[in-house]
C-alpha cells in the first residue's frame, strides 16, 4: 500500500479505513474492539477514534493505565499503521467532570493517555520519527452532546496526509 503521489496517498488512507471498518469484506478488528472504533477521512488524514463505552473503558478510571481492551486495539492499530509510512498524531480527550471536584486533572490525564498510546505504538514497532505530535485536549472537544458521557473518553490516532 506504499504510495508516492497525493492521489496514491489518498487511496492508501481509504484502503486503511476499509481494513479497519471491514468494508472490504475482512477486518483486522475483533467484534468487541470494533464497537470502540470510528474512522473518518478528513483534510488532515485518516482519523481513527477509539473510545470508552458505558460498559468497557480503555483506561483504568482516572489514570493513564491502559486496559487489556486498549492494548488489543493499539496492537492492532500498530499492525495496520505498518502498512503505510504516513506520520502519526495522537490526541487524548476525556469526559468532563462535575464542577464540584477540587482539582480538575483533565489536561494532565488527556495528555498522559495520549502519551501512553504513543509509547505503546512505538513499542509495537511504529517508528518514533513517524510520531509527529502528542496532544491532550482535556474535556474541550466532546464527541457527543453530554460532556460527561463515557464516549468522550477517547484517543484519536491520525494517519497524517503527506505534504502536498
Amino acid at each position: 500500500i506504499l504510495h508516492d503521489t497525493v492521489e496514491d496517498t489518498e487511496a492508501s488512507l481509504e484502503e486503511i479505513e476499509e481494513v479497519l471498518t471491514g468494508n472490504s469484506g475482512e477486518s483486522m478488528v475483533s467484534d468487541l474492539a470494533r464497537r470502540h472504533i470510528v474512522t473518518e477521512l478528513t483534510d488532515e488524514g485518516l482519523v481513527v477514534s477509539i473510545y470508552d463505552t458505558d460498559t468497557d473503558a480503555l483506561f483504568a478510571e482516572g489514570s493513564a493505565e491502559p486496559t487489556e481492551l486498549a492494548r488489543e486495539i493499539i496492537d492492532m492499530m500498530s499492525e495496520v499503521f505498518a502498512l503505510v509510512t504516513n506520520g502519526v498524531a495522537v490526541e487524548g480527550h476525556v469526559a468532563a467532570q462535575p464542577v464540584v471536584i477540587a482539582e480538575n486533572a483533565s489536561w494532565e490525564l488527556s495528555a498522559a493517555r495520549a502519551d501512553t498510546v504513543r509509547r505503546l505504538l512505538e513499542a509495537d514497532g511504529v517508528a518514533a520519527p513517524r510520531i509527529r505530535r502528542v496532544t491532550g485536549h482535556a474535556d474541550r472537544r466532546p464527541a457527543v452532546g453530554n460532556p460527561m458521557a463515557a464516549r468522550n473518553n477517547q484517543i484519536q490516532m491520525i494517519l497524517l496526509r503527506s505534504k502536498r
Side-chain angles (χ1 to χ4, degrees):
I1 300 183
L2 301 179
H3 303 287
D4 293 331
T5 67
V6 170
E7 292 78 22
D8 287 343
T9 299
E10 180 75 20
S12 65
L13 290 177
E14 289 173 0
E15 290 169 21
I16 294 293
E17 185 175 33
E18 287 180 5
V19 167
L20 289 172
T21 61
N23 290 340
S24 60
E26 284 194 34
S27 172
M28 292 178 69
V29 184
S30 72
D31 288 339
L32 173 62
R34 189 176 295 122
R35 290 196 300 261
H36 294 267
I37 299 172
V38 173
T39 61
E40 180 183 10
L41 207 48
T42 69
D43 288 343
E44 186 175 25
L46 177 62
V47 180
V48 181
S49 299
I50 63 173
Y51 54 87
D52 287 1
T53 63
D54 289 334
T55 56
D56 296 299
L58 297 173
F59 294 90
E61 186 173 344
S63 86
E65 181 61 36
T67 62
E68 284 305 311
L69 174 65
R71 288 178 186 278
E72 174 192 334
I73 293 171
I74 294 162
D75 287 349
M76 184 269 311
M77 290 297 162
S78 298
E79 289 179 38
V80 173
F81 289 2
L83 300 173
V84 294
T85 58
N86 302 59
V88 178
V90 182
E91 300 184 351
H93 304 264
V94 295
Q97 296 296 312
V99 178
V100 296
I101 63 172
E103 186 177 321
N104 186 337
S106 295
W107 289 106
E108 292 86 356
L109 184 58
S110 64
R113 287 178 175 181
D115 194 51
T116 294
V117 171
R118 176 201 55 83
R119 284 187 279 110
L120 291 171
L121 288 170
E122 288 179 3
D124 285 343
V126 175
R130 287 184 60 194
I131 305 294
R132 302 294 163 77
R133 71 173 185 266
V134 177
T135 310
H137 292 284
D139 55 4
R140 299 307 193 259
R141 289 190 190 166
V144 295
N146 175 358
M148 291 190 285
R151 171 69 175 80
N152 291 319
N153 287 313
Q154 70 173 346
I155 294 290
Q156 292 181 317
M157 292 170 277
I158 306 164
L159 280 174
L160 300 167
R161 292 184 187 277
S162 302
K163 299 275 189 257
R164 297 183 182 216

